[in-house]
Structures are given as structure tokens and as C-alpha cells.
Amino acid sequence: MTGSDFSGSVPLGRRLVVETLREEASVWLFVAKTLLAIFVTGWIAMRLALPSPSTAMITTIIVANRQSGMVLAKSFYRALGTVAGAGAAIGIVAAFPQQRDLFLVALSLWLGVCAGGATLYRNFKAYAFVLAGYTAAVIVVPVIENPPGVFDSAVARLSEVLLGILVSGAISDVVFPSRVRDVLRRSARGQFSDFLGFVRGSMEGAIPRDAMENAHLRFVRAAVTLEDLRSSVIFEDAETRARSNHLRLFNQRFMAASTSFQSLHHLINRLKRARRDRAADALVHLYAPLGEALEVPLEAGEGARVLLPRLLVARERMREDAVEVRAGFADEQDLRDFETGASLLLRFAGELYDYVDAASTLQAPRIVGGPVERVRFDRGNDYLGAGIATARTTLTMLVLGAFWIESAWPLGSSAMLIATIFAGLFAVTPNPTRVTRDVTYGYLIGMVLGFLCHFFVLTQLDGYGLMVAGVLPFLVVGVMLQASQRWGGIGLGWALGLLYILAFKNHQVYDPAHFINDAIAQIVGLMSAVVSFIVIPSAIGSPWLRRRQLAALRGQVALAAEAPLPGLRHRFESVNHDLFSQVVAQTEPGSADSRALIAWALAVHETGRALIELRHDMARGELPPTLRPYLEGVLATLARFYVKPDPASYLLARDAVATAIAGVCEHEGHRHLLEHLRLVRMALLDGESVLAAYMPDTPPAKEIAHAS
């Protein structure tokens, strides 16, 4: 019985109650494990007489996550960043031990570079950069007046941070662990069943454009989510780590198959709109064996193994049917349309088989066979956006450092440290405006509660156990809010503000004047980070960056036309999916911007993939000297059009494709190139695509139209 069958047999009300209780249990388990990690870390730090146990305790807050694998991944990269930051701190102090001005300039530049580097990643790798900057500041700022003490400071901070990481990872992995591998498996099964179900349900051929756009959005999110999960699960599960490259291959084959699938149905839709029903119906008929082969329960694993021989039989039937149908065409135009679609359909059938084969291999009890094809999931990064984050953080630190020097403020170091932490954390958030506001509110609440806890509760208690009992009521709400998607920013700020202002040590000092001055310094540091994002807004989510990312997405056609062929198909698919997911995450669903983005993404996927296949076919055999210039002209004009679209470059690209088609038709041994050229030609002439805005009012000349 499949999961859907089971869920359908349970009353809706009961399912809602079960899901609500499961969610509440997950939240409270997260709260309990996080609090346990905080206080166990604090106890060990005090037993070891570390200088700042609160630093170790704060570490557990920053790495906290509901999933064990996420904690381990976050901790791993935090450890890397901590070690790198310690090395940078020692280097800065060694270079400028007596020059405070140059010392602060070097530190500000390091913090800026780390903040910029953090923006280039969408997973826990960003924390390595954030912590590299934060750790350097934590180490060097307290010893600015005593440079020889930097080594002791580095050892202490490393010990405190690594202790927090070790305790968090151990508790998360031992106490009722919630495995990311289970989420990964569900995601892989969901991707598999959703895609194959969509393929099976499209046997009638034509799919409305809005349905295809929504499907494309789902497929992109599924591919990017699976890669993000894979990069985290490898830290918690040895078996998943061994299958990591198989997972990458599974995901890459999914992206390839989904692109060909979309191109196929765009082609069928175009034929129907052009009233070329004979060719469209023939393609739908040819598609039928593939749909019939998928008429089994769509669960990765046993279902995948069952599908493989069925898909082989379906492909053979499709080849045989294609020969028979081709012989029945009397009209040359219908024949050309059918040949283009049949070639694309057979390519899709092969890619679908490869995808199902990858799913079957993943679900086998153990991996057998030789080395698997090594693939990568490349990311689409905007380095100018990272440069903005670098400049913002550097300027913020320089301004604070200059104020600290000129004012001789005793607690300027505290302001610098807080600004460092939040400048890095805010730089990697997808919605920095809302997050900065929420974290600021939470931090202020945490400090107010910290004052009450410090002077009205802890002064009445003695011993670590009573201290835990006194702090727990003030901390538990913040940790609970941290588990919420909506209130997570407030919860994070609450917990950090409370623990930071309490500044636990083996010998607590109760000095109201120092406490208030420290709180003021922390507020100044926090507000400096907030103001820096107002003065120099984050590029993430801005219309400016969306336009740049959309331009980068269009530029993928130039990549497909010009980049070296080895590994190009995988690189093209993964960068496309990553860029699209970045832009769509910052675009209002259903808006004009969102619709334009999806339309461009579909056009880029279809054209770019056709050009890659064309170049592969060009590379497989010798081309006549008279034919190569035509094909190279197609690649060059299409690349220019997508990089900078306008009506003039559209006409050049359209006519270059038509001329190349006419040239290929004159060479009998190279007619296999026609399918790719005709597919590109149809995409260029699609009046419902995003390219329609660049089409002239008059249709192409009759002789060119017939060349397609």
C-alpha cells in the first residue's frame, strides 16, 4: 500500500490532530535538546576553567537545528571557520602589533571579506565565512592593548567554540536524533514519484502553459532542495556519504530528463496552436508506450527496478512505431515536424531510463559495479553582490573602530564584537530587512530579561544547578521561538542577547554600572549593523540583483553555445536550476516579475539544451567546410540575443537558424543536425513565449518559414 493510499484511509480530522501533535513534539524536543546542550556546555566550560563559558554556550545556540545532520554540518563548517579566524587573528596581530589604526583596518578588511564570502553560499558553508570573521574579532579585540596575549586568547576562544560544537553535535546525535537522511529519502522519493506521475499523467500530449510553468517551478525546487540536503546528510550518515556521488548523478539525470520533457511538450503545444494536428497527434500516439510503461506504483526502490524492463520495451516499441508513422506522412512539413518531435521524444525516453536506473541503484541494499560517473552541482553566484556585502561590513567596522579610537570608549570592544556577529549573520539571510528587525527586537528583550535574571534571581542563588534553574525560565521562551519559522529571528536574538549579557564565568561579578554600560555598547554594535543595511542595502532580494541574476540566467545560453563540451550538460542544468531558485525565492509568487522569470527560464532551458545537443552532434563527425560557418553562426547569434535581447538581434538569430537549416538540408549525411535546429527554430517562433516581445509585426518570409 502506498503512502497516498494510507493517508486517504485516515479521516481528515484525525490526520490534522496527529500532524499537529507531531509538530509540537518536534518543537519541544528541539527546545529540550538545545537547553541541555547549553547548560552541559556551560558546566564543562566552568569545570575546565575556560575564561568565557558564555562563548561556548552561545555557540550551541548558533548551531542549533531540529535535524541532527544539520547540526553536524553546521558545526563542521563552524569549526573550519573558527580555525581560519584564529589563524587570521594571529596573523593580523603579528603584522600590526604596535599600529592600532592599521590593525583595525586589517581586521575590518578581513571581516568584510568573510561577510562577502558568506553570501556566495546557500547552505551551512556560509557559516564557515561568518565564523572566520567573528572568531578573528573575538580573539584580537580583547588583546588590542596586549598583543603578546593573542596566542592565549586564540587558544581560549578555540577551546570554547569547539567545546560548544562538540557538545551540540553529541547531544543532537545521541538524544532522540532526528535524521536528515530520512528527510533526504522522502525528498528523493517525492521527486521521483512527482516527476514520473506528471509524465504518466500527460499521455494526452498537450499541457497548458501555466501547468508547465508550475511544474518547472516544482522540479527546480526539488533539484536544489535535494542537493542542499545531500550536502548536509554526508556528515551524519556513512552510508549516505558513500552514496553521495550516486545522489548527485540521480539529481543531474532528473534535471536532464525534466528539461527534455518540457521541450517535448512545448513542441506538441506549438504544433497544436499552429494547427499541425497530424504531426502533434502522431507524437502523442508515439508517446503512449512510455505512459503505459509507467502504470505501476511510483515509489523509488522496488517500483524503479520494475520500471526498467518496461521502459526498455517501451523504447523499442516507440522506435518501431516511429518507422511506421514516418512512412505514412505525405506532407513534407508534417514529416519534418514529426521527425523533430520523435527525435526529442526518444532522447527523453533514454534520459528517463537513466533517471529510473539511478533511482534503482540508490535503493539497492548496497552499491555494486564500478565507479559511477562523477558530476557536480555548480552554483550560480553573483560576485558583485558579494562585493557589496564586503564593502558594507568593512565600512561599518572602520566607522566603529574610528569612533572607538577617537572616543577612547572602554567598552568599544563589546560594540565591535556584536557588530561583527550580526553583520555576518545578516549578510547571509534571504530577507535581511525583516530578519534584522526581528533579531533586534529579540536581542533587546533578551537583554532586559538578562538584567532581571542577573540582579534579581542569580544574586539569590548559589551553585551551577540553581543557576540553571534561575536562568531556565528566562531562556526557554527564546529557544522555543527559535524553532518557529515566523518567530525564529526574535527567538535567536532573545537567546543570544540573554546569554551574551549574562556573560557567565566561574566567578560572577554583579556590577550594575558595568552591566548597563555593556548593554549600551551591545545596542550600539547591533544598531550599527542594522544601520549599515539601511545605508548600503543588501543585494539579496533587491530588484537590482534580480535583474542581474535574470541576465545571468539568460547568459546560460551563451555558456551552452561557447563553453567546452566536457561536463557542460551537467554544469548548464545545475547552474540554471540554482540561479532560477535564487531569483524565484525573492520574487512575489504570481506577480508579473514571477511570470516573466519562469518564461525566461523555460526558454533558456529549451534553447540551451538544444544547442548543447547540437554541439555534441557536431563534434561526433567531420562537418563539410561549407556547413560549419552556418552552424557557428547559429551559436554566435543566439548567444548574443540571449545575453542582450532586442528585436535586431532576434532577427539575426532567427534568420541564422533558418539559413543553417537550409544549409544542412543540402548535405544528406548530416541531416541528424536538423532536429536540434528545428527545435530552436520553433522556440524562436513561439508567439506565446517570452521571445514574442522581440518579434517583428510581420511574420518571417515564406521561404524561411518553410525551411523550418
PDB file of all heavy atoms in Angstrom, residues 323-347:
ATOM      1  N   VAL A 323       9.013   4.369 -37.173  1.00  0.00           N
ATOM      2  CA  VAL A 323       9.263   3.986 -38.565  1.00  0.00           C
ATOM      3  C   VAL A 323       7.952   3.880 -39.326  1.00  0.00           C
ATOM      4  O   VAL A 323       7.810   4.372 -40.460  1.00  0.00           O
ATOM      5  CB  VAL A 323      10.042   2.663 -38.621  1.00  0.00           C
ATOM      6  CG1 VAL A 323      10.171   2.186 -40.065  1.00  0.00           C
ATOM      7  CG2 VAL A 323      11.420   2.837 -38.000  1.00  0.00           C
ATOM      8  N   GLU A 324       6.939   3.246 -38.712  1.00  0.00           N
ATOM      9  CA  GLU A 324       5.653   3.082 -39.379  1.00  0.00           C
ATOM     10  C   GLU A 324       4.957   4.422 -39.584  1.00  0.00           C
ATOM     11  O   GLU A 324       4.422   4.698 -40.662  1.00  0.00           O
ATOM     12  CB  GLU A 324       4.757   2.151 -38.553  1.00  0.00           C
ATOM     13  CG  GLU A 324       5.282   0.735 -38.439  1.00  0.00           C
ATOM     14  CD  GLU A 324       4.364  -0.132 -37.588  1.00  0.00           C
ATOM     15  OE1 GLU A 324       3.281   0.367 -37.196  1.00  0.00           O
ATOM     16  OE2 GLU A 324       4.727  -1.293 -37.290  1.00  0.00           O
ATOM     17  N   VAL A 325       4.946   5.253 -38.550  1.00  0.00           N
ATOM     18  CA  VAL A 325       4.259   6.544 -38.668  1.00  0.00           C
ATOM     19  C   VAL A 325       4.949   7.423 -39.698  1.00  0.00           C
ATOM     20  O   VAL A 325       4.302   8.103 -40.484  1.00  0.00           O
ATOM     21  CB  VAL A 325       4.212   7.239 -37.294  1.00  0.00           C
ATOM     22  CG1 VAL A 325       3.638   8.647 -37.427  1.00  0.00           C
ATOM     23  CG2 VAL A 325       3.381   6.432 -36.319  1.00  0.00           C
ATOM     24  N   ARG A 326       6.287   7.401 -39.707  1.00  0.00           N
ATOM     25  CA  ARG A 326       7.040   8.232 -40.654  1.00  0.00           C
ATOM     26  C   ARG A 326       6.680   7.864 -42.092  1.00  0.00           C
ATOM     27  O   ARG A 326       6.578   8.747 -42.957  1.00  0.00           O
ATOM     28  CB  ARG A 326       8.538   8.045 -40.410  1.00  0.00           C
ATOM     29  CG  ARG A 326       9.406   9.020 -41.184  1.00  0.00           C
ATOM     30  CD  ARG A 326      10.886   8.812 -40.850  1.00  0.00           C
ATOM     31  NE  ARG A 326      11.191   9.242 -39.490  1.00  0.00           N
ATOM     32  CZ  ARG A 326      11.569   8.430 -38.527  1.00  0.00           C
ATOM     33  NH1 ARG A 326      11.644   7.109 -38.742  1.00  0.00           N
ATOM     34  NH2 ARG A 326      11.851   8.895 -37.313  1.00  0.00           N
ATOM     35  N   ALA A 327       6.485   6.579 -42.335  1.00  0.00           N
ATOM     36  CA  ALA A 327       6.156   6.145 -43.699  1.00  0.00           C
ATOM     37  C   ALA A 327       4.766   6.600 -44.132  1.00  0.00           C
ATOM     38  O   ALA A 327       4.477   6.656 -45.339  1.00  0.00           O
ATOM     39  CB  ALA A 327       6.260   4.621 -43.792  1.00  0.00           C
ATOM     40  N   GLY A 328       3.901   6.918 -43.189  1.00  0.00           N
ATOM     41  CA  GLY A 328       2.536   7.297 -43.536  1.00  0.00           C
ATOM     42  C   GLY A 328       2.344   8.770 -43.824  1.00  0.00           C
ATOM     43  O   GLY A 328       1.226   9.194 -44.165  1.00  0.00           O
ATOM     44  N   PHE A 329       3.385   9.600 -43.690  1.00  0.00           N
ATOM     45  CA  PHE A 329       3.246  11.037 -43.933  1.00  0.00           C
ATOM     46  C   PHE A 329       3.422  11.341 -45.413  1.00  0.00           C
ATOM     47  O   PHE A 329       4.406  10.945 -46.030  1.00  0.00           O
ATOM     48  CB  PHE A 329       4.285  11.823 -43.130  1.00  0.00           C
ATOM     49  CG  PHE A 329       3.908  12.043 -41.700  1.00  0.00           C
ATOM     50  CD1 PHE A 329       4.563  11.351 -40.692  1.00  0.00           C
ATOM     51  CD2 PHE A 329       2.894  12.932 -41.364  1.00  0.00           C
ATOM     52  CE1 PHE A 329       4.217  11.543 -39.360  1.00  0.00           C
ATOM     53  CE2 PHE A 329       2.557  13.128 -40.037  1.00  0.00           C
ATOM     54  CZ  PHE A 329       3.209  12.435 -39.036  1.00  0.00           C
ATOM     55  N   ALA A 330       2.459  12.064 -45.953  1.00  0.00           N
ATOM     56  CA  ALA A 330       2.561  12.519 -47.347  1.00  0.00           C
ATOM     57  C   ALA A 330       3.050  13.959 -47.406  1.00  0.00           C
ATOM     58  O   ALA A 330       3.754  14.344 -48.345  1.00  0.00           O
ATOM     59  CB  ALA A 330       1.202  12.387 -48.044  1.00  0.00           C
ATOM     60  N   ASP A 331       2.674  14.756 -46.404  1.00  0.00           N
ATOM     61  CA  ASP A 331       3.058  16.167 -46.386  1.00  0.00           C
ATOM     62  C   ASP A 331       4.468  16.309 -45.795  1.00  0.00           C
ATOM     63  O   ASP A 331       4.751  15.813 -44.704  1.00  0.00           O
ATOM     64  CB  ASP A 331       2.064  16.972 -45.550  1.00  0.00           C
ATOM     65  CG  ASP A 331       2.395  18.455 -45.558  1.00  0.00           C
ATOM     66  OD1 ASP A 331       2.064  19.125 -46.546  1.00  0.00           O
ATOM     67  OD2 ASP A 331       3.009  18.924 -44.576  1.00  0.00           O
ATOM     68  N   GLU A 332       5.360  16.988 -46.553  1.00  0.00           N
ATOM     69  CA  GLU A 332       6.753  17.110 -46.115  1.00  0.00           C
ATOM     70  C   GLU A 332       6.882  17.921 -44.829  1.00  0.00           C
ATOM     71  O   GLU A 332       7.714  17.611 -43.984  1.00  0.00           O
ATOM     72  CB  GLU A 332       7.587  17.755 -47.228  1.00  0.00           C
ATOM     73  CG  GLU A 332       9.067  17.797 -46.914  1.00  0.00           C
ATOM     74  CD  GLU A 332       9.877  18.407 -48.037  1.00  0.00           C
ATOM     75  OE1 GLU A 332       9.297  18.657 -49.112  1.00  0.00           O
ATOM     76  OE2 GLU A 332      11.079  18.639 -47.826  1.00  0.00           O
ATOM     77  N   GLN A 333       6.064  18.959 -44.669  1.00  0.00           N
ATOM     78  CA  GLN A 333       6.137  19.778 -43.458  1.00  0.00           C
ATOM     79  C   GLN A 333       5.755  18.953 -42.221  1.00  0.00           C
ATOM     80  O   GLN A 333       6.415  19.016 -41.191  1.00  0.00           O
ATOM     81  CB  GLN A 333       5.217  20.985 -43.585  1.00  0.00           C
ATOM     82  CG  GLN A 333       5.219  21.930 -42.392  1.00  0.00           C
ATOM     83  CD  GLN A 333       6.560  22.616 -42.202  1.00  0.00           C
ATOM     84  OE1 GLN A 333       7.209  23.014 -43.158  1.00  0.00           O
ATOM     85  NE2 GLN A 333       6.994  22.739 -40.960  1.00  0.00           N
ATOM     86  N   ASP A 334       4.672  18.175 -42.334  1.00  0.00           N
ATOM     87  CA  ASP A 334       4.274  17.313 -41.222  1.00  0.00           C
ATOM     88  C   ASP A 334       5.373  16.305 -40.893  1.00  0.00           C
ATOM     89  O   ASP A 334       5.627  15.999 -39.717  1.00  0.00           O
ATOM     90  CB  ASP A 334       2.982  16.576 -41.571  1.00  0.00           C
ATOM     91  CG  ASP A 334       1.765  17.479 -41.514  1.00  0.00           C
ATOM     92  OD1 ASP A 334       1.855  18.549 -40.875  1.00  0.00           O
ATOM     93  OD2 ASP A 334       0.728  17.119 -42.104  1.00  0.00           O
ATOM     94  N   LEU A 335       6.023  15.786 -41.936  1.00  0.00           N
ATOM     95  CA  LEU A 335       7.094  14.810 -41.712  1.00  0.00           C
ATOM     96  C   LEU A 335       8.254  15.435 -40.945  1.00  0.00           C
ATOM     97  O   LEU A 335       8.779  14.843 -40.008  1.00  0.00           O
ATOM     98  CB  LEU A 335       7.578  14.257 -43.057  1.00  0.00           C
ATOM     99  CG  LEU A 335       8.751  13.276 -42.992  1.00  0.00           C
ATOM    100  CD1 LEU A 335       8.386  12.055 -42.164  1.00  0.00           C
ATOM    101  CD2 LEU A 335       9.190  12.867 -44.408  1.00  0.00           C
ATOM    102  N   ARG A 336       8.637  16.666 -41.349  1.00  0.00           N
ATOM    103  CA  ARG A 336       9.738  17.333 -40.645  1.00  0.00           C
ATOM    104  C   ARG A 336       9.378  17.590 -39.182  1.00  0.00           C
ATOM    105  O   ARG A 336      10.191  17.408 -38.274  1.00  0.00           O
ATOM    106  CB  ARG A 336      10.084  18.646 -41.347  1.00  0.00           C
ATOM    107  CG  ARG A 336      10.811  18.451 -42.670  1.00  0.00           C
ATOM    108  CD  ARG A 336      11.483  19.738 -43.075  1.00  0.00           C
ATOM    109  NE  ARG A 336      10.537  20.796 -43.359  1.00  0.00           N
ATOM    110  CZ  ARG A 336      10.085  21.106 -44.564  1.00  0.00           C
ATOM    111  NH1 ARG A 336      10.479  20.402 -45.612  1.00  0.00           N
ATOM    112  NH2 ARG A 336       9.233  22.100 -44.735  1.00  0.00           N
ATOM    113  N   ASP A 337       8.151  18.034 -38.934  1.00  0.00           N
ATOM    114  CA  ASP A 337       7.712  18.281 -37.555  1.00  0.00           C
ATOM    115  C   ASP A 337       7.736  16.994 -36.737  1.00  0.00           C
ATOM    116  O   ASP A 337       8.180  16.978 -35.571  1.00  0.00           O
ATOM    117  CB  ASP A 337       6.302  18.875 -37.545  1.00  0.00           C
ATOM    118  CG  ASP A 337       6.251  20.270 -38.144  1.00  0.00           C
ATOM    119  OD1 ASP A 337       7.296  20.934 -38.162  1.00  0.00           O
ATOM    120  OD2 ASP A 337       5.169  20.683 -38.592  1.00  0.00           O
ATOM    121  N   PHE A 338       7.270  15.913 -37.347  1.00  0.00           N
ATOM    122  CA  PHE A 338       7.242  14.638 -36.633  1.00  0.00           C
ATOM    123  C   PHE A 338       8.654  14.162 -36.334  1.00  0.00           C
ATOM    124  O   PHE A 338       8.934  13.673 -35.229  1.00  0.00           O
ATOM    125  CB  PHE A 338       6.488  13.584 -37.453  1.00  0.00           C
ATOM    126  CG  PHE A 338       6.542  12.209 -36.856  1.00  0.00           C
ATOM    127  CD1 PHE A 338       5.747  11.873 -35.769  1.00  0.00           C
ATOM    128  CD2 PHE A 338       7.436  11.257 -37.348  1.00  0.00           C
ATOM    129  CE1 PHE A 338       5.820  10.610 -35.197  1.00  0.00           C
ATOM    130  CE2 PHE A 338       7.499  10.001 -36.788  1.00  0.00           C
ATOM    131  CZ  PHE A 338       6.694   9.675 -35.710  1.00  0.00           C
ATOM    132  N   GLU A 339       9.559  14.273 -37.292  1.00  0.00           N
ATOM    133  CA  GLU A 339      10.932  13.813 -37.071  1.00  0.00           C
ATOM    134  C   GLU A 339      11.603  14.589 -35.939  1.00  0.00           C
ATOM    135  O   GLU A 339      12.318  14.010 -35.115  1.00  0.00           O
ATOM    136  CB  GLU A 339      11.739  13.959 -38.365  1.00  0.00           C
ATOM    137  CG  GLU A 339      11.381  12.937 -39.425  1.00  0.00           C
ATOM    138  CD  GLU A 339      12.178  13.135 -40.704  1.00  0.00           C
ATOM    139  OE1 GLU A 339      12.681  14.268 -40.906  1.00  0.00           O
ATOM    140  OE2 GLU A 339      12.290  12.179 -41.486  1.00  0.00           O
ATOM    141  N   THR A 340      11.341  15.876 -35.886  1.00  0.00           N
ATOM    142  CA  THR A 340      11.900  16.685 -34.802  1.00  0.00           C
ATOM    143  C   THR A 340      11.369  16.222 -33.453  1.00  0.00           C
ATOM    144  O   THR A 340      12.127  16.025 -32.496  1.00  0.00           O
ATOM    145  CB  THR A 340      11.558  18.175 -35.009  1.00  0.00           C
ATOM    146  OG1 THR A 340      12.081  18.606 -36.262  1.00  0.00           O
ATOM    147  CG2 THR A 340      12.122  19.032 -33.894  1.00  0.00           C
ATOM    148  N   GLY A 341      10.048  16.037 -33.375  1.00  0.00           N
ATOM    149  CA  GLY A 341       9.451  15.599 -32.116  1.00  0.00           C
ATOM    150  C   GLY A 341       9.847  14.184 -31.750  1.00  0.00           C
ATOM    151  O   GLY A 341      10.087  13.877 -30.567  1.00  0.00           O
ATOM    152  N   ALA A 342       9.926  13.280 -32.738  1.00  0.00           N
ATOM    153  CA  ALA A 342      10.286  11.891 -32.456  1.00  0.00           C
ATOM    154  C   ALA A 342      11.715  11.797 -31.916  1.00  0.00           C
ATOM    155  O   ALA A 342      11.998  11.031 -30.983  1.00  0.00           O
ATOM    156  CB  ALA A 342      10.129  11.050 -33.714  1.00  0.00           C
ATOM    157  N   SER A 343      12.621  12.567 -32.504  1.00  0.00           N
ATOM    158  CA  SER A 343      13.997  12.572 -32.003  1.00  0.00           C
ATOM    159  C   SER A 343      14.061  13.056 -30.558  1.00  0.00           C
ATOM    160  O   SER A 343      14.749  12.469 -29.720  1.00  0.00           O
ATOM    161  CB  SER A 343      14.859  13.474 -32.899  1.00  0.00           C
ATOM    162  OG  SER A 343      16.158  13.610 -32.367  1.00  0.00           O
ATOM    163  N   LEU A 344      13.313  14.117 -30.257  1.00  0.00           N
ATOM    164  CA  LEU A 344      13.280  14.643 -28.893  1.00  0.00           C
ATOM    165  C   LEU A 344      12.638  13.648 -27.933  1.00  0.00           C
ATOM    166  O   LEU A 344      13.105  13.462 -26.794  1.00  0.00           O
ATOM    167  CB  LEU A 344      12.519  15.967 -28.878  1.00  0.00           C
ATOM    168  CG  LEU A 344      12.413  16.712 -27.548  1.00  0.00           C
ATOM    169  CD1 LEU A 344      13.792  17.009 -26.968  1.00  0.00           C
ATOM    170  CD2 LEU A 344      11.620  18.006 -27.732  1.00  0.00           C
ATOM    171  N   LEU A 345      11.589  12.978 -28.388  1.00  0.00           N
ATOM    172  CA  LEU A 345      10.897  12.007 -27.540  1.00  0.00           C
ATOM    173  C   LEU A 345      11.795  10.817 -27.208  1.00  0.00           C
ATOM    174  O   LEU A 345      11.834  10.339 -26.068  1.00  0.00           O
ATOM    175  CB  LEU A 345       9.617  11.545 -28.228  1.00  0.00           C
ATOM    176  CG  LEU A 345       8.749  10.521 -27.492  1.00  0.00           C
ATOM    177  CD1 LEU A 345       8.417  10.998 -26.086  1.00  0.00           C
ATOM    178  CD2 LEU A 345       7.471  10.252 -28.279  1.00  0.00           C
ATOM    179  N   LEU A 346      12.529  10.332 -28.202  1.00  0.00           N
ATOM    180  CA  LEU A 346      13.437   9.213 -27.954  1.00  0.00           C
ATOM    181  C   LEU A 346      14.581   9.635 -27.034  1.00  0.00           C
ATOM    182  O   LEU A 346      15.045   8.834 -26.209  1.00  0.00           O
ATOM    183  CB  LEU A 346      13.977   8.682 -29.284  1.00  0.00           C
ATOM    184  CG  LEU A 346      12.948   7.923 -30.147  1.00  0.00           C
ATOM    185  CD1 LEU A 346      13.524   7.607 -31.518  1.00  0.00           C
ATOM    186  CD2 LEU A 346      12.500   6.639 -29.445  1.00  0.00           C
ATOM    187  N   ARG A 347      15.040  10.877 -27.163  1.00  0.00           N
ATOM    188  CA  ARG A 347      16.058  11.380 -26.228  1.00  0.00           C
ATOM    189  C   ARG A 347      15.508  11.410 -24.806  1.00  0.00           C
ATOM    190  O   ARG A 347      16.188  10.998 -23.858  1.00  0.00           O
ATOM    191  CB  ARG A 347      16.497  12.785 -26.650  1.00  0.00           C
ATOM    192  CG  ARG A 347      17.642  13.339 -25.812  1.00  0.00           C
ATOM    193  CD  ARG A 347      17.990  14.747 -26.247  1.00  0.00           C
ATOM    194  NE  ARG A 347      17.219  15.747 -25.516  1.00  0.00           N
ATOM    195  CZ  ARG A 347      17.198  17.041 -25.825  1.00  0.00           C
ATOM    196  NH1 ARG A 347      17.862  17.481 -26.887  1.00  0.00           N
ATOM    197  NH2 ARG A 347      16.488  17.889 -25.109  1.00  0.00           N
TER     198      ARG A 347
END
